């Protein structure tokens, strides 16, 4: 926490965001709404009248982190800090509502997605001593029509898809109507990249996943809204768009055209100021050849494939209510690399799923060995409230799950380090994001195969550059999944000098 600022008569709010990039977009929508209502946005909860914590409810550790942050913010109310109230919003608040409020009386309110449109009024009421009724959770899959094509006309509160009109005249500086008259957004950081929401929710019924129950059924944003928001982000200095959703391969199905993402990618990449577009969260069973081609071959689109495999053994995938097999996934990866040999490919896997046999576990290890993925997130199975997997038989002991996680994690660390080493000599275009914390003479950034925050980074020692700059470079060394590079001109000079010395 920083130094407490002097008090003023302006209502102030700090937004603390936990979890994924989708949550970051939600926080920026809330920031836009609050700024338009006259709130002063501050970075530090100590300097705010209200701390709004956008929680994560994905896995057990994320929930614990959310509770810790809420408790830390609540402690400020008993300190010299300015903070008078702490409010929980986001996925954990939506998922648990009253239960979270009962277990965490330190929070002054627990509000769900339905409260986002009028969050300013709720915060005003809290500052005046009122106690808003805690959110009552509901299975949000039941709120939208079962038929996807009927969903866009439904009047349901979905972050990023709000149907309530907002006044767009005379907005404060830095605010813009990013999707027509329906949603406004305020950036909360100055990074040269930004998440951009394609859709919300998911129609899949994976037995281990609770997200659809609290995020709802799948709902695409209309292409014009996405493109308008992308143009606004470019005006704010964004160089790279990171397209996010719970399932990007389903984009457009509720709008009557599953090819909308393929046709929209070139339009996004052509926006003045946008130099790179990146797509996240692809379901392997829905990854169509046309979409692979669009990602691999469209100029300005990163050849980057964030594919949610979760496992490779067909028998485990069936128990997960997913599709595919080791053979299917191997064929898919081969097709991607035939189109784009340098493509970045990342995934997540779950080990220790109920009933996972030694043979199934070894099949997964064999697949990962052959797959040559750039990054793999490894998760040990744990029961999630309200999921079908929590009722399955064949649960493995915790110590066995931990042992399998350790084994796959060790394997993955070795494999991804090898994959990074294979990239030595590659020519890359690096988006500079800042300076290395351990070495101020080294700038850091990301190449096309590296997604934001989780996929490793590119280090360029001795280079002077600012966030948002682009540098053409050549990879010279690897450090785990991180890579060291030099500007391409320097690499050519070094190679020429070495050749001359060798010839001499």
């Amino acid at each position: 926490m920083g130094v407490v600022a002097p008090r003023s008569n302006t209502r102030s709010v700090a937004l603390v965001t936990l979890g994924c990039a989708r949550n970051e977009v939600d926080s920026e929508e809330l920031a836009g709404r609050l700024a338009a209502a006259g709130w002063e946005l501050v970075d530090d909860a100590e300097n705010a009248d209200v701390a709004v914590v956008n929680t994560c409810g994905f896995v057990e550790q994320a929930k614990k982190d959310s509770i810790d942050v809420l408790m830390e913010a609540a402690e400020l109310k008993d300190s010299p800090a300015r903070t008078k109230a702490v409010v929980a919003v986001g996925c954990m608040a939506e998922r648990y509502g009253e239960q979270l409020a009962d277990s965490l009386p330190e929070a002054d309110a627990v509000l769900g997605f339905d409260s986002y449109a009028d969050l300013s009024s709720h915060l005003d009421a809290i500052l005046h001593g009122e106690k808003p009724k805690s959110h009552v959770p509901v299975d949000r899959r039941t709120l939208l029509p079962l038929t996807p094509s009927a969903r866009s006309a439904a009047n349901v509160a979905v972050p990023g898809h709000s149907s309530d009109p907002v006044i767009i005249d005379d907005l404060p500086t830095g605010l813009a109507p990013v999707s027509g008259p329906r949603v406004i957004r305020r950036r909360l950081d100055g990074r040269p990249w930004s998440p951009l929401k394609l859709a919300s929710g998911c129609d899949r019924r994976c037995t281990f996943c609770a997200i659809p129950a609290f995020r709802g059924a799948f709902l695409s944003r209309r292409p014009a809204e996405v493109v308008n928001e992308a143009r606004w982000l470019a005006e704010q200095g964004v160089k790279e768009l990171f397209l996010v959703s719970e399932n990007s391969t389903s984009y457009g199905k509720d709008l009557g055209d599953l090819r909308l993402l393929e046709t929209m990618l070139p339009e996004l990449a052509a926006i003045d100021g946008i130099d790179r577009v990146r797509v996240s969260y692809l379901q392997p069973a829905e990854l169509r050849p046309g979409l692979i081609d669009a990602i691999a071959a469209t100029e300005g689109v990163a050849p980057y494939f964030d594919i949610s495999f979760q496992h490779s053994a067909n028998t485990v995938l069936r128990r997960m209510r997913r599709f595919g097999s080791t053979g299917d996934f191997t064929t898919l990866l081969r097709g991607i690399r035939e189109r784009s040999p340098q493509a970045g490919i990342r995934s997540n896997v779950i080990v220790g799923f109920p009933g996972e046999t030694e043979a199934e576990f070894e099949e997964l290890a064999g697949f990962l060995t052959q797959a040559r993925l750039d990054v793999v997130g490894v998760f040990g199975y744990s029961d999630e409230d309200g999921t079908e997997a929590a009722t399955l038989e064949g649960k493995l002991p915790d110590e066995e799950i931990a042992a399998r996680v350790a084994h796959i994690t060790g394997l993955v660390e070795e494999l991804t380090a090898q994959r990074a080493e294979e990239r030595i000599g590659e020519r890359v275009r690096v988006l500079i994001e800042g300076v290395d914390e351990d070495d101020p003479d080294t700038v850091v950034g990301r190449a096309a195969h590296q997604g934001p925050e989780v996929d490793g980074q590119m280090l360029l020692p001795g280079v002077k550059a600012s966030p948002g700059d682009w540098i053409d470079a050549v990879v010279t060394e690897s450090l785990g999944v991180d890579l060291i590079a030099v500007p391409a001109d320097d690499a050519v000079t070094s190679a020429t000098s070495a050749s001359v010395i060798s010839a001499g």
Side-chain angles (χ1 to χ4, degrees):
M1 299 293 181
V3 177
V4 180
R7 292 182 179 272
S8 72
N9 293 324
T10 305
R11 302 165 303 167
S12 59
V13 60
L15 285 150
V16 182
T17 307
L18 303 171
C20 65
R22 300 183 292 275
N23 252 17
E24 292 181 20
V25 178
D26 293 347
S27 285
E28 294 194 348
E29 178 191 340
L30 293 177
R33 290 181 175 278
L34 292 170
W39 288 78
E40 177 190 1
L41 299 172
V42 299
D43 294 331
D44 198 320
E46 289 191 36
N47 295 328
D49 294 314
V50 183
V52 176
V53 181
N54 190 352
T55 60
C56 179
F58 178 44
V59 293
E60 196 62 34
Q61 186 57 53
K63 288 183 280 189
K64 290 178 180 177
D65 291 344
S66 294
I67 293 291
D68 289 344
V69 171
L70 285 164
M71 293 291 293
E72 181 182 354
E75 290 174 359
L76 295 175
K77 295 188 293 182
D78 298 322
S79 75
R82 176 171 180 159
T83 312
K84 302 173 185 175
V86 175
V87 175
V89 298
C91 291
M92 190 174 181
E94 176 66 37
R95 184 177 181 183
Y96 293 104
E98 295 170 315
Q99 180 182 344
L100 176 61
D102 291 342
S103 63
L104 192 69
E106 294 85 355
D108 296 276
V110 175
L111 303 176
F113 297 150
D114 293 337
S115 298
Y116 281 19
D118 199 24
L119 184 61
S120 175
S121 296
H122 289 299
L123 299 189
D124 273 331
I126 292 167
L127 287 179
H128 284 87
E130 299 180 24
K131 181 79 172 179
K133 185 177 180 181
S134 297
H135 169 65
V136 179
V138 63
D139 187 337
R140 296 192 71 86
R141 291 172 293 189
T142 65
L143 301 182
L144 287 169
L146 185 62
T147 304
S149 60
R151 292 174 186 168
S152 61
N155 186 18
V156 175
V158 179
H161 304 253
S162 303
S163 58
D164 62 297
V166 295
I167 298 173
I168 63 173
D169 296 328
D170 301 323
L171 287 174
T173 301
L175 292 178
V178 296
S179 52
R182 300 201 305 167
V183 179
I184 57 178
R185 181 175 177 179
R186 171 73 172 266
R187 293 208 73 203
L188 292 174
D189 59 61
R191 298 176 305 191
W193 68 274
S194 175
L196 173 58
K197 187 178 289 189
L198 285 174
S200 291
C202 185
D203 286 341
R204 301 187 71 88
R205 293 295 183 266
C206 302
T207 57
F208 56 84
C209 185
I211 290 176
F214 58 85
R215 274 290 184 179
F218 185 84
L219 183 66
S220 300
R221 296 180 66 197
R222 294 191 176 277
E225 297 176 5
V226 177
V227 173
N228 285 343
E229 184 168 347
R231 291 195 180 107
W232 176 77
L233 288 169
E235 292 170 359
Q236 308 306 304
V238 170
K239 306 294 186 183
E240 177 180 314
L241 300 174
F242 187 43
L243 305 184
V244 299
S245 73
E246 275 76 25
N247 179 5
S248 297
T249 34
S250 282
Y251 180 74
K253 75 171 189 177
D254 50 329
L255 301 178
D257 188 355
L258 266 174
R259 298 170 299 173
L260 282 178
L261 184 54
E262 288 102 296
T263 58
M264 187 168 61
L265 284 174
E267 188 173 0
L268 292 171
I271 292 173
D272 188 28
I274 298 299
D275 297 306
R276 189 156 67 197
V277 180
R278 186 183 303 276
V279 184
S280 72
Y281 214 82
L282 305 168
Q283 287 287 346
E286 300 178 35
L287 193 46
R288 306 170 300 281
L291 182 54
I292 295 175
D293 289 337
I295 294 173
T298 302
E299 184 177 358
V301 175
Y304 172 83
F305 295 83
D306 174 15
I307 307 174
S308 174
F309 288 127
Q310 304 299 356
H311 210 281
S312 72
N314 176 257
T315 44
V316 175
L317 291 167
R318 285 205 303 267
R319 293 197 295 276
M320 291 179 169
R321 292 198 188 280
R322 295 175 66 85
F323 302 95
S325 66
T326 296
D328 293 336
F329 296 163
T330 301
T331 300
L332 173 62
L333 294 175
R334 184 183 306 118
I336 290 172
R337 290 192 170 112
E338 287 173 354
R339 293 169 172 86
S340 180
Q342 293 184 357
I345 307 175
R346 79 173 319 277
S347 191
N348 297 312
V349 296
I350 298 173
V351 298
F353 192 77
E356 183 187 59
T357 65
E358 282 285 352
E360 292 165 338
F361 176 73
E362 291 300 330
E363 182 175 349
L364 173 63
F367 166 71
L368 293 173
T369 301
Q370 296 298 318
R372 295 172 51 243
L373 303 177
D374 290 278
V375 177
V376 182
V378 182
F379 295 88
Y381 172 80
S382 62
D383 288 339
E384 280 293 314
D385 298 335
T387 62
E388 182 180 347
T391 69
L392 295 178
E393 298 180 352
K395 300 286 178 59
L396 276 64
D398 290 344
E399 56 271 22
E400 177 60 26
I401 294 175
R404 294 187 182 192
V405 167
H407 179 85
I408 292 295
T409 298
L411 175 64
V412 160
E413 289 176 351
E414 179 181 351
L415 294 171
T416 53
Q418 292 173 3
R419 177 65 184 131
E421 190 173 357
E422 291 174 3
R423 292 191 178 276
I424 293 175
E426 283 187 9
R427 188 183 181 101
V428 292
R429 192 161 189 246
V430 182
L431 175 61
I432 300 302
E433 295 183 323
V435 175
D436 185 19
E437 294 180 357
D438 299 323
D439 182 2
D441 293 325
T442 296
V443 295
V444 296
R446 290 178 295 104
H449 73 278
Q450 295 169 315
E453 298 181 335
V454 293
D455 289 355
Q457 58 188 1
M458 195 73 63
L459 297 93
L460 290 90
V463 173
K464 302 299 183 184
S466 301
D469 289 346
W470 291 94
I471 294 181
D472 291 318
V474 175
V475 179
T476 57
E477 298 178 59
S478 63
L479 295 171
V481 296
D482 294 333
L483 296 169
I484 299 175
V486 298
D489 291 342
D490 293 348
V492 171
T493 300
S494 297
T496 302
S497 299
S499 177
V500 170
I501 292 172
S502 177

